[in-house]
Amino acid sequence: MKVVQTNQAPAAIGPYSQGIIVNNLFYSSGQIPLTAEGVMIQGGIKEQTHQVFKNLDAVLTAAGASFETVVKATVFIKSMDDFAAINEVYGEYFSTNKPARSCVEVARLPKDALVEIEVIALVK
């Protein structure tokens, strides 16, 4: 196993890593809309989702992967009412590659985020 760490995404806020590579697969930890400095961004669901994708891009790049190599995404949302808005942003990042995905509404997310996303990707 290889631990993935980058200063271009927020540091883990608990006893876990930003991601792990096993063989040729990268498993990310869930990303919430914190900046790389650890500050929660201001704004609604679309702004938060864009920040989550910025963080995912950073950890994917550090792992030698990309949005084009993601095979599975799991999306956790505070409200299913945000599903359409999240899908709109999600589609900007997965326009050609459309990985398998699960999306679940949860009672609460870390730091009271509105969205959290984790991915599994092939490493180039």
Side-chain angles (χ1 to χ4, degrees), residues 12-122:
I13 56 175
Y16 58 91
S17 60
Q18 291 172 324
I20 298 284
I21 297 171
V22 177
N23 297 323
N24 65 331
L25 285 176
F26 169 66
Y27 298 84
S28 81
S29 290
Q31 292 295 318
I32 62 173
L34 296 175
T35 64
E37 296 75 34
V39 177
M40 181 67 77
I41 65 141
Q42 299 299 309
I45 190 62
K46 286 186 178 182
E47 292 82 5
Q48 286 200 13
T49 305
H50 278 295
Q51 182 63 47
V52 166
F53 274 101
K54 182 177 179 181
N55 296 342
L56 286 170
D57 185 47
V59 295
L60 284 163
T61 299
S66 70
F67 291 121
E68 290 299 312
T69 66
V70 171
V71 295
K72 174 74 166 74
T74 305
V75 181
F76 305 94
I77 58 178
K78 183 161 172 62
S79 172
M80 207 48 86
D81 293 338
D82 292 331
F83 187 80
I86 291 168
N87 263 348
E88 185 179 324
V89 175
Y90 185 96
E92 293 177 31
Y93 296 89
F94 293 116
S95 57
T96 53
N97 175 38
K98 301 203 184 327
R101 181 180 88 176
S102 300
C103 180
V104 294
E105 180 182 84
V106 296
R108 193 169 181 201
L109 290 165
K111 305 274 187 182
D112 291 318
L114 300 177
V115 60
E116 178 175 358
I117 301 173
E118 63 185 30
V119 297
I120 300 170
L122 291 171

